[in-house]
Amino acid sequence: MSSVIAATRFSVLDRSRTREGHDGPAALRDTVRLAQDLEALGYHRFWVSEHHGVPGVAGSAPTVLAAAVAAATRSIRVGTGGVMLPNHQSLVVAEQFGVLASLFPGRIDMGLGRSVGFTDGVRKALGRDKHDAEDFADRLGELLDWFRGTSGTGVRARPAEGLTVPPYVLAVGEGATIAAAAGLPLVIGDIRGREKMLRGIEQYRGGFRPSPWLAEPYVMIAGTVAVAESEEAARRLLVPEAWSMAYSRTHGTFPPLPPAERVEALAMTEKERGFYEAGLRGHVHGTEEQVADELERVIKESGAQEVLVTTSTYDRAGLLDSFRRLARTAGLAPEGHPQQSAGVSP
């Protein structure tokens, strides 16, 4: 096993994707079960996402879902990837994470993003505007003030004040610059856009300022990783999400994930085929040996301390097998055994 991979943490972000024949409630229960399985395999953290009004995604309330995941597990870190700050009042976010950290001390991560919804309708329903994302740095500062007890409002965030809940910034656009200025860990993707990702990491490290939260830069790279007994089998795990993305680009909405065999039998338009094929390219996928080689390459290029795997697919058995093979490739310690050391960690 590569020493580079062995020194790297591996974690998972699950978006609670719905599947054909499996509705939103089933997707949320799948998320909780997956967290239990990944804890047993030795993954470092398990994060859930925030999406509003998206037909193919059930994860709309990340702090609520994180509570369910944390209650169903014992040792894996649990967090959000992420809570979208422009959608919420910073006091409420601080209070929610304060409750989580009080109930599950030492296990909660606070992943934070700057998205304000995918459509005008969603933004209107949230009472937000697309320009609200421009205030992300200020909103982030306000949130951290609640934990430090330095809010200028005179209000105290209970039970958040005085607690240490590690914050992470999800990089979209200028997110890397904001993370660097705030002295916070950076979560950046997608692995497929390698050059853009590496530029963001370089920008982050170049502008990083030590803070009470973090003394040195910490980089978590995110993307799809699929591992199977053959390269073709791994590629088939990518098919449902690639088709869902292609459908969203041509129809304006995400459908539930379909089985790979149904997608492969579809008669696609030229435009759909183009988006679909593009959606299959660039991911880290293949046999354990192939994935190990590619992961070693991207970890060396990025200098990342952690990989956040974001794979979604219809085949849940195939997905779990992929995570099991990846755990073996990365040398993760199963539950009940000493965990690997990955150096500095927030």
Side-chain angles (χ1 to χ4, degrees), residues 38-219:
L38 296 182
E39 177 177 64
L41 290 172
Y43 283 85
H44 185 59
R45 25 180 146 246
F46 186 89
W47 284 3
V48 296
S49 63
E50 176 181 342
H51 295 277
H52 298 285
V54 180
V57 183
S60 57
T63 53
V64 176
L65 185 53
V69 169
T73 53
R74 297 180 299 175
S75 59
I76 194 169
R77 296 194 65 87
V78 177
T80 56
V83 164
M84 299 300 149
L85 277 188
N87 293 339
H88 310 281
Q89 294 297 327
S90 62
L91 171 61
V92 175
V93 175
E95 290 170 337
Q96 290 174 345
F97 278 99
V99 170
L100 282 170
S102 298
L103 294 174
F104 309 101
R107 293 181 57 204
I108 300 301
D109 299 325
M110 186 167 58
L112 306 164
R114 60 195 295 267
S115 172
V116 288
F118 293 110
T119 67
D120 290 338
V122 169
R123 290 189 288 269
K124 182 177 180 180
L126 291 170
R128 295 295 184 264
D129 181 88
K130 61 182 179 181
H131 299 296
D132 286 338
E134 298 170 3
D135 298 330
F136 178 69
D138 291 337
R139 291 174 182 270
L140 179 62
E142 289 175 3
L143 175 62
L144 300 183
D145 282 343
W146 291 116
F147 288 92
R148 292 188 294 243
T150 55
S151 170
T153 64
V155 177
R156 312 290 287 274
R158 297 184 172 91
E161 186 176 317
L163 296 180
T164 300
V165 184
Y168 297 76
V169 173
L170 279 63
V172 178
E174 63 178 309
T177 302
I178 294 172
L184 299 180
L186 174 72
V187 184
I188 188 166
D190 183 343
I191 288 175
R192 290 198 304 168
R194 196 72 51 87
E195 292 184 5
K196 182 179 180 181
M197 183 184 76
L198 294 177
R199 286 196 303 271
I201 292 172
E202 182 179 8
Q203 185 179 27
Y204 166 70
R205 290 202 176 103
F208 183 84
R209 300 175 185 173
S211 73
W213 302 96
L214 190 65
E216 299 177 349
Y218 189 93
V219 175

Side-chain angles (χ1 to χ4, degrees), residues 213-239:
W213 302 96
L214 190 65
E216 299 177 349
Y218 189 93
V219 175
M220 191 187 311
I221 55 175
T224 294
V225 180
V227 198
E229 60 183 356
S230 68
E231 184 175 1
E232 179 57 29
R235 182 183 182 277
R236 294 190 84 240
L237 290 175
L238 307 176
V239 164

Side-chain angles (χ1 to χ4, degrees), residues 12-15 34 223-226 237-238 241 284 308-313 316 319 322-323:
V12 172
L13 166 64
D14 187 73
R15 290 179 291 139
L34 181 60
T224 294
V225 180
L237 290 175
L238 307 176
E241 184 70 22
V284 177
L308 182 67
V309 182
T310 61
T311 311
S312 297
T313 192
R316 298 298 291 189
L319 180 64
S322 175
F323 283 127

